[in-house]
Structures are given as structure tokens and as C-alpha cells.
Amino acid sequence: MQKQKMSGYLDPFLELCKKFDLKITPQRCAIYKRLMQAKNHPTADQMFRVVKREFPNISFDTVNRTLMTFAEIGLVDVIPTEGGPRRFDPDLDKHHHFHCIHCGEIVDFTNEEFDNLGIPEHILEDFTVYSKRVVLNGVCPKCRKKKGFKDRNNAKQNKNT
Amino acid sequence: MQKQKMSGYLDPFLELCKKFDLKITPQRCAIYKRLMQAKNHPTADQMFRVVKREFPNISFDTVNRTLMTFAEIGLVDVIPTEGGPRRFDPDLDKHHHFHCIHCGEIVDFTNEEFDNLGIPEHILEDFTVYSKRVVLNGVCPKCRKKKGFKDRNNAKQNKNT
DNA sequence: GTGATTGCAAACCTTTTGCACGCCA
DNA sequence: TGGCGTGCAAAAGGTTTGCAATCAC
């Protein structure tokens, strides 16, 4: 009966599995379920810890491999990061990223102007484009407030005062 | 005399070092020099191999740490990647990235419309923005041509024919 | 002279790979 | 039943850290 109650939100997942000839396993279902609830671009390890709570026997590899599989079939996005562990983005709606070069945090934001950007013709001729995103780099509010924060554009401010 | 000949292109680098109280070491100069000649977003390891040719004693760590230092002072960009080694972008001019989800290649392109995008007011209020970049995700021409390439939007195309 | 920088080595973290067993279709 | 998927373990790859020696200022 659990299965029937859950079938609703699992539908798009089941469909996609069928489409790509992926077997429907309890592990994959659990990972999908938690993924849809996830906020803030979880890493494979974070997902592992969450899923492990209701699926104690699951291995990290399964979670990691499953997430990669999900990425391949377009169920999640893999977020480019600057060196740290891979991050997955379950939010497939249009949104953009602000990346803090200080703490590494990635903050989502939405913006219609960015959404409506056209993709240049000469790109479309040669490339198949799946997604488009504006990425801002800088310093987030939290880091800006930190004592001793050195603004890149204001180096040696102390010396010049 | 070598030093005098080279002082020209090193000038902006020397200035920046002074600005941030960084000591000017032969290692840093060599890395900077090669970095400015680099194409295609080198990794720390690639930079290490190149610099090593004219500076056989240099260690990987020095190259890696120096590149991170350069990134901190805004001399290079760190390119977000999806899992592989960190990549550095010495091209600070406005440009945008196409990322191939198949081979991982990052292709630069320029686009005026993208360059002229404004940054939303509500972002500017809370965040300090250093750079803005449009990132496209998809499949590059090389991968598209590969035999057996599966279009994400056309799974099971063989079965449906 | 002094503190930043370098080179070396080990530690650490994450991802990848190989393989036997088990489960879904 | 057959083959994909899982779990375990080891390996690989890349980055970070600690420290002593060295070098720029």
C-alpha cells in the first residue's frame, strides 16, 4: 500500500526509467524521492547520509552511481563547482547561480531577463544546447560581513588610510 | 638583461603583486608568463608540466598554490567544472562558456548581448559581483558526430523505428 | 634579519574500477 | 533466466596540510 500511495510523485521517474531502459529498484526510488525534497545542491555524500536513514544498507557507491545515472538521463543537473565535491541540482526549472568565491556557496536566483536570453545562431548550428544559465561570481552577504574580509578591489585599504 | 627585456609584459603582474603584498619570485614570474600564453583553460598539472620545462626544480605544489593565489587576487579565473580537476582561465576578457556534458570540453565564445546583460538590482544590494558569465550546457560538435551518440531528447530512438 | 615562499612528503577526500552476489524484468 | 544493479573493497586522482630550508624584501 505504501507503493500505491507513493506512485503519484514517482510517476515521472518511472516513466523516465522506462524510457531509458533503467530498472526500477528500491534504491533508485529512495534516492529519487529524497532528491526531489533536497534543497541547496546536495553532494553525493549528503544524499547518501539522507537516504541511508531510511535505507541503512545502501552503499555510497550506489547513491553516487545513481546520481550520475540520473544526471545522464536529465533527471538532475550536475552543477559545475570550483574544485570541491560534485553537486547535484534537482531543480530543473529555469534559475541562475551566484557563486561565492569566498565560501563556495552557490545561491539560486531567478531572473526573467536572463531566462529570455536567446542563444546565438552560430552556436545552435554546431552545438546541441540543453540548458542555459547565467553564473555570477563574487562575494555573498555572509562573507561580506565577515571581519577581516579583503575586497579584491580594495587591497591594501588599510595601508592607504 | 633578460629581466629588462621581459619587464614589459610583466608590468601588470608586478603591479598586482605590489598591491597585494606578494613577493616577486622567479617561480611566480615563470608561472605568470606561461599562464598568459596558455590557451584552453589549463589545469594545475598542465601548467606544472609547461613551467617545469624552463624551471625543472619547481614543484607541483608551488604551481598549484601560485595559481590559487593568482585566482585570489583576480589574475585568473577558476572555471567551475563538473568533477574533474580544477581549471584556470587566464582570459579575463568578457567571454562565455559552452560546456559539453559528453566530453567535458569547455568552449569559449563571445556574445555582445550576453555581455550587455545587466545584473538585477536586488542582487547588487546584497552581493558583491566580480564577474558574470553565461554557461551553456549541451553536446559539442565533436561528440554529436560520434557514432552511437545518444541524444538525451531521443532515447530509444532505435526501438521506435 | 624576518617573514613569506618553496619543495617535499604524507594525509585526506572524492571518484572510479573490478568483481561476486542478488534482484528486477 | 539473463543481465542489470548493488555492495564491498581497493585503487586512482587531485587537493590540502605540515614542516624545514630557502629566498625576497
Side-chain angles (χ1 to χ4, degrees):
Chain A
M1 56 170 166
Q2 186 80 347
K3 223 172 186 174
Q4 280 164 22
K5 252 200 281 179
M6 291 160 79
S7 68
Y9 74 85
L10 272 179
D11 279 351
F13 170 62
L14 301 179
E15 237 177 87
L16 215 51
C17 284
K18 218 178 286 178
K19 188 176 167 190
F20 284 92
D21 284 329
L22 294 180
K23 289 184 178 167
I24 294 159
T25 67
Q27 287 94 332
R28 282 179 176 161
C29 289
I31 294 167
Y32 174 78
K33 180 181 155 195
R34 290 301 179 187
L35 197 58
M36 290 305 105
Q37 301 168 346
K39 303 282 173 195
N40 293 333
H41 324 108
T43 64
D45 188 63
Q46 288 169 339
M47 284 303 300
F48 171 56
R49 286 160 202 252
V50 173
V51 175
K52 198 182 176 65
R53 288 211 287 264
E54 69 180 277
F55 213 120
N57 283 339
I58 203 167
S59 74
F60 170 79
D61 300 77
T62 299
V63 176
N64 194 39
R65 263 182 304 207
T66 301
L67 288 169
M68 292 304 285
T69 305
F70 285 0
E72 266 176 44
I73 66 177
L75 202 61
V76 283
D77 279 346
V78 175
I79 300 184
T81 57
E82 299 185 359
R86 214 187 330 247
R87 292 188 171 277
F88 298 89
D89 191 345
D91 179 7
L92 296 177
D93 289 338
K94 279 198 185 80
H95 67 281
H96 306 274
H97 286 158
F98 176 91
H99 172 256
C100 179
I101 61 171
H102 223 71
C103 63
E105 182 104 9
I106 292 167
V107 183
D108 289 350
F109 68 94
T110 57
N111 183 274
E112 254 189 61
E113 195 198 349
F114 289 176
D115 294 346
N116 294 332
L117 274 178
I119 294 166
E121 272 306 317
H122 70 277
I123 293 284
L124 289 175
E125 278 169 26
D126 295 333
F127 297 79
T128 302
V129 178
Y130 287 151
S131 73
K132 173 195 68 191
R133 180 168 286 161
V134 176
V135 178
L136 303 179
N137 256 265
V139 184
C140 73
K142 278 185 203 169
C143 288
R144 229 158 57 155
K145 281 175 200 153
K146 274 180 196 155
K147 237 175 69 180
F149 166 66
K150 270 190 186 179
D151 191 328
R152 181 195 283 182
N153 302 321
N154 266 304
K156 294 180 81 172
Q157 44 190 329
N158 40 351
K159 288 205 178 179
N160 297 332
T161 44
Chain B
M1 57 172 171
Q2 185 82 345
K3 220 171 188 175
Q4 280 165 25
K5 251 199 282 180
M6 291 160 80
S7 67
Y9 74 85
L10 272 179
D11 280 350
F13 170 62
L14 302 180
E15 236 175 272
L16 215 50
C17 283
K18 218 178 286 179
K19 187 176 166 192
F20 284 90
D21 284 329
L22 294 180
K23 289 183 176 167
I24 295 159
T25 66
Q27 288 93 334
R28 282 179 175 159
C29 290
I31 294 167
Y32 174 79
K33 179 181 158 195
R34 289 303 177 187
L35 196 58
M36 291 305 106
Q37 301 169 345
K39 303 282 175 198
N40 294 333
H41 324 111
T43 64
D45 188 63
Q46 287 169 340
M47 284 302 301
F48 172 57
R49 285 159 203 251
V50 173
V51 175
K52 200 181 174 65
R53 287 210 288 265
E54 70 181 274
F55 212 119
N57 283 339
I58 203 167
S59 74
F60 170 79
D61 301 75
T62 299
V63 175
N64 195 37
R65 263 182 306 207
T66 300
L67 289 170
M68 292 304 285
T69 305
F70 285 1
E72 267 177 42
I73 66 177
L75 201 61
V76 284
D77 279 345
V78 175
I79 300 184
T81 57
E82 299 185 359
R86 217 189 325 252
R87 292 188 171 276
F88 297 87
D89 191 345
D91 179 6
L92 295 178
D93 289 340
K94 279 198 184 80
H95 67 283
H96 306 275
H97 286 158
F98 177 92
H99 171 257
C100 179
I101 61 172
H102 223 70
C103 63
E105 183 104 11
I106 292 167
V107 183
D108 289 349
F109 68 94
T110 57
N111 182 275
E112 252 189 66
E113 195 197 349
F114 290 174
D115 294 346
N116 294 333
L117 272 178
I119 294 167
E121 272 305 316
H122 69 277
I123 293 283
L124 288 176
E125 278 169 26
D126 296 333
F127 298 78
T128 303
V129 178
Y130 287 150
S131 73
K132 174 195 65 192
R133 181 168 286 159
V134 177
V135 178
L136 303 179
N137 256 265
V139 184
C140 73
K142 279 185 200 167
C143 288
R144 233 164 50 160
K145 280 175 198 152
K146 273 180 196 156
K147 236 175 69 178
F149 165 65
K150 271 190 186 179
D151 191 328
R152 180 195 285 184
N153 302 321
N154 266 305
K156 294 181 81 172
Q157 45 190 329
N158 39 352
K159 289 206 176 176
N160 297 331
T161 43

